[in-house]
Amino acid sequence: MTAAQGVLLRPITMGLLLQSLFLLLLLLLLGSCLQPATAFPKGCYPSEEEGLKTFRCSNAQLTEVPRDIPNDTNKLYLDFNQIPFLPRDAFRDLPLLLELDLSHNAIARIETGAFQGLAEHLHSLDLSSNRLVSVSKDAFSNLKAKVNLSNNPWLCDCRLQELIRAVELAADSSGGIVCDSSTQEEHVGKAFLQVIADTDFCNVYKKTTDIAMLVTMFGWFAMVISYLVYYVRQNQEDARRHLEYLKSLPSKQRRSEESSTISTVV
């Protein structure tokens, strides 16, 4: 190759190198743009419904609440999964959430603060068809949403009564809150709102607690009285034995012992 040919090939080589670098940079930019979409869990996808930003994860075989939900989501569907419980701050990064569907899961426990951050905007919460037996009313603290609690294996007691009074039930959902078990056997299988129309679980619980406290106090009082009676009788027995001992002594020694006993008593 002559020097003249080398001079001609040099610009061509530089052009090809610059073109390769440009294509590589373009691929990197496209990859970074596509990365957020691929970060969604399998079976989840964003959409827009009636002008509201929606995120659907229905029947996606989830075992926990996804972490990569867009924070501008208005409607979130997590129904028909296998989520077993809701931890504290599970939805704290979703300040614009209006509707939350958690129906048909395996939720058996809801930690206090699970819905923290949703009080301002959330107006619909569906927890139907889960495995809820007992939930503290504090888990729904300050929540103004209409809640669907139907089709769960509820334990009908004072705790459920407090919960029902603390939340606003979704329309036509109250009849689905049925006593799967109860502190009173005759209520099993009945709608809870029908039961509490005639039974105040919390009042019954209070009476039971008061009776238990009275029984405990009486037991302690009886123990104290028994101890005092035992103590007095034991002293009387010791005094009787001592007197019999004194009687068995010679007269001078007996007088001395009696004087000692009298001075000790005084």
Side-chain angles (χ1 to χ4, degrees):
M1 180 183 296
T2 64
Q5 289 175 329
V7 172
L8 290 173
L9 288 173
R10 192 174 300 162
I12 297 174
T13 304
M14 291 297 295
L16 290 173
L17 181 61
L18 289 173
Q19 186 177 6
S20 299
L21 289 173
F22 176 76
L23 289 173
L24 179 61
L25 181 61
L26 183 61
L27 288 173
L28 289 173
L29 288 173
L30 287 173
S32 63
C33 292
L34 292 174
Q35 188 174 0
T38 58
F40 296 146
K42 183 180 179 181
C44 299
Y45 60 92
S47 63
E48 188 165 328
E49 299 178 6
E50 300 177 353
L52 296 175
K53 293 187 177 180
T54 303
F55 194 74
R56 286 190 175 273
C57 288
S58 302
N59 201 18
Q61 299 182 351
L62 298 176
T63 56
E64 63 180 2
V65 176
R67 299 179 182 178
D68 300 315
I69 303 171
N71 56 15
D72 60 350
T73 299
N74 303 127
K75 299 170 71 175
L76 176 58
Y77 292 89
L78 299 173
D79 51 319
F80 290 96
N81 285 289
Q82 293 111 37
I83 300 172
F85 80 103
L86 301 179
R88 182 180 178 85
D89 295 325
F91 307 98
R92 66 177 179 179
D93 296 325
L94 302 172
L96 303 180
L97 199 61
L98 300 174
E99 297 181 18
L100 175 57
D101 189 347
L102 290 160
S103 63
H104 297 89
N105 272 279
I107 301 172
R109 181 165 60 92
I110 301 176
E111 292 185 356
T112 300
F115 304 112
Q116 189 168 310
L118 301 181
E120 291 296 323
H121 297 92
L122 192 70
H123 63 71
S124 177
L125 172 60
D126 194 344
L127 287 164
S128 62
S129 301
N130 276 282
R131 298 178 184 174
L132 296 171
V133 175
S134 182
V135 180
S136 171
K137 64 178 181 178
D138 296 333
F140 298 86
S141 180
N142 299 321
L143 203 62
K144 300 175 183 177
K146 294 182 179 180
V147 185
N148 188 342
L149 299 172
S150 62
N151 299 320
N152 281 280
W154 290 110
L155 165 64
C156 291
D157 61 358
C158 179
R159 203 178 193 201
L160 179 58
Q161 182 172 314
E162 289 180 338
L163 172 61
I164 297 300
R165 289 176 176 174
V167 301
E168 182 179 356
L169 296 178
D172 301 323
S173 69
S174 59
I177 304 175
V178 178
C179 301
D180 188 72
S181 57
S182 176
T183 53
Q184 300 181 32
E185 191 66 28
E186 65 270 18
H187 298 147
V188 174
K190 295 182 180 179
F192 185 68
L193 292 189
Q194 175 187 349
V195 170
I196 60 174
D198 302 317
T199 303
D200 188 340
F201 284 93
C202 295
N203 190 41
V204 170
Y205 175 77
K206 185 177 183 300
K207 287 182 178 179
T208 304
T209 304
D210 291 344
I211 292 172
M213 289 180 64
L214 287 173
V215 170
T216 303
M217 290 175 63
F218 178 78
W220 279 106
F221 183 74
M223 288 177 62
V224 171
I225 295 298
S226 298
Y227 175 77
L228 289 175
V229 171
Y230 170 79
Y231 180 78
V232 170
R233 288 182 177 177
Q234 188 67 29
N235 283 351
Q236 287 177 344
E237 184 65 20
D238 290 343
R240 185 184 64 78
R241 290 176 181 173
H242 189 64
L243 288 174
E244 289 179 354
Y245 168 73
L246 292 177
K247 289 178 182 180
S248 65
L249 295 175
S251 57
K252 290 183 178 180
Q253 187 176 357
R254 185 170 63 226
R255 290 194 193 98
S256 176
E257 290 284 345
E258 286 175 350
S259 299
S260 177
T261 302
I262 292 170
S263 63
T264 301
V265 172
V266 173

